[in-house]
Amino acid sequence: MKSIWTLLSWGSEGWLDEIAYGVFVTVSLAAATLPFGLLIGFFVAVAKQSSEPSLRLAGNIYTTIFRGLPELVTLFLVYYGAQIGIQALIRTIQPGATVDINSFISGMVALGVVFSAYVSEVFLSAFRAIPRGQYEGGYAIGLTKGQTMRLVVLPQLIRIALPGLANLWLILLKDTALVSAIGLNDILRWTGVAARVEREPFVFYSFAILIYLVLTIISSFGINKIERSVGEREPAR
């Protein structure tokens, strides 16, 4: 029977090589999903506060759907549903053709749309916290709507929304564990494989918990540094 240190070592006897790769996949997936979700969430928030009723309705429907569906269901819908839809489309052009959807891209899209639905609510609250006079002041000095948004509103929006977005990042980091269900070799998948092969579930799942805690602690330090940096710049405006 192998010792814990052998199981969690590098090389052919241990599983640390594979688990380290899983950490890389997990962090890469979260990092790729973050800008994707922030961008969509921002535009959904803009739509939800638009004066155009159809845009507000579309934004509300979007957030209602993706906040209401379990993340795992959304993941399966994107991974399997998109594959079926794309194959059906391709077969209208080339009968018999098949297509495989990359699990990393599927995970990024699925987590991104769920993440963006929550991000939109954070941005919407931040938009509402900015006085209307800020917009009017920008227009009064000759700025266009785009310039007012970029130069006046966005800096305040980021400062107000940052605590909420930081919490959502930590949730996103943990939600990446769901992608193991579609075969992506993340932390949870590799520790699960190792646990089954070595019949040491407590060792490997405890190690997975430790890794997620370390990632969360590192993220928390980074978030605190960003918040301090934003806070220090704000009085100088």
Side-chain angles (χ1 to χ4, degrees):
M1 186 176 178
K2 297 179 183 178
S3 68
I4 293 176
W5 304 115
T6 301
L7 293 173
L8 299 178
S9 64
W10 304 96
S12 58
E13 290 292 313
W15 289 87
L16 203 54
D17 305 71
E18 291 81 1
I19 294 173
Y21 177 74
V23 174
F24 172 75
V25 171
T26 293
V27 174
S28 298
L29 179 61
T33 303
L34 179 65
F36 174 67
L38 287 176
L39 186 63
I40 295 178
F42 175 78
F43 284 113
V44 171
V46 170
K48 291 181 71 170
Q49 66 159 6
S50 171
S51 58
E52 175 59 45
S54 60
L55 288 177
R56 290 201 305 272
L57 178 62
N60 287 325
I61 290 173
Y62 181 91
T63 54
T64 299
I65 289 174
F66 290 112
R67 288 173 68 197
L69 286 177
E71 288 88 341
L72 191 58
V73 173
T74 304
L75 182 63
F76 286 151
L77 284 175
V78 171
Y79 184 64
Y80 296 110
Q83 190 162 251
I84 293 170
I86 293 173
Q87 280 185 350
L89 182 63
I90 290 177
R91 283 174 181 173
T92 60
I93 303 170
Q94 186 178 351
T98 59
V99 62
D100 291 323
I101 302 297
N102 183 281
S103 56
F104 185 94
I105 299 298
S106 296
M108 187 186 77
V109 171
L111 293 177
V113 295
V114 175
F115 179 66
S116 67
Y118 289 95
V119 164
S120 70
E121 293 299 310
V122 173
F123 277 139
L124 185 61
S125 297
F127 271 124
R128 290 171 176 169
I130 298 173
R132 192 65 196 170
Q134 297 289 317
Y135 296 85
E136 295 169 353
Y139 303 150
I141 62 174
L143 298 179
T144 64
K145 286 186 176 181
Q147 288 173 327
T148 300
M149 177 64 72
R150 179 168 56 87
L151 300 175
V152 179
V153 177
L154 271 181
Q156 300 178 70
L157 187 76
I158 293 171
R159 177 179 57 82
I160 296 169
L162 190 57
L165 295 177
N167 288 333
L168 291 179
W169 160 255
L170 296 178
I171 293 171
L172 171 65
L173 192 61
K174 293 181 288 185
D175 280 350
T176 56
L178 296 171
V179 298
S180 61
I182 58 172
L184 191 62
N185 292 322
D186 69 326
I187 296 170
L188 189 61
R189 181 167 175 80
W190 274 120
T191 51
V193 170
R196 289 191 296 272
V197 171
E198 302 292 349
R199 297 183 180 180
E200 290 284 359
F202 182 78
V203 170
F204 287 103
Y205 287 126
S206 296
F207 190 54
I209 290 171
L210 180 61
I211 293 171
Y212 281 111
L213 284 175
V214 169
L215 292 176
T216 300
I217 291 168
I218 293 172
S219 295
S220 296
F221 279 118
I223 290 165
N224 289 336
K225 187 173 181 179
I226 293 171
E227 288 179 338
R228 284 197 301 271
S229 177
V230 171
E232 288 169 1
R233 286 200 300 266
E234 184 62 22
R237 287 175 53 80

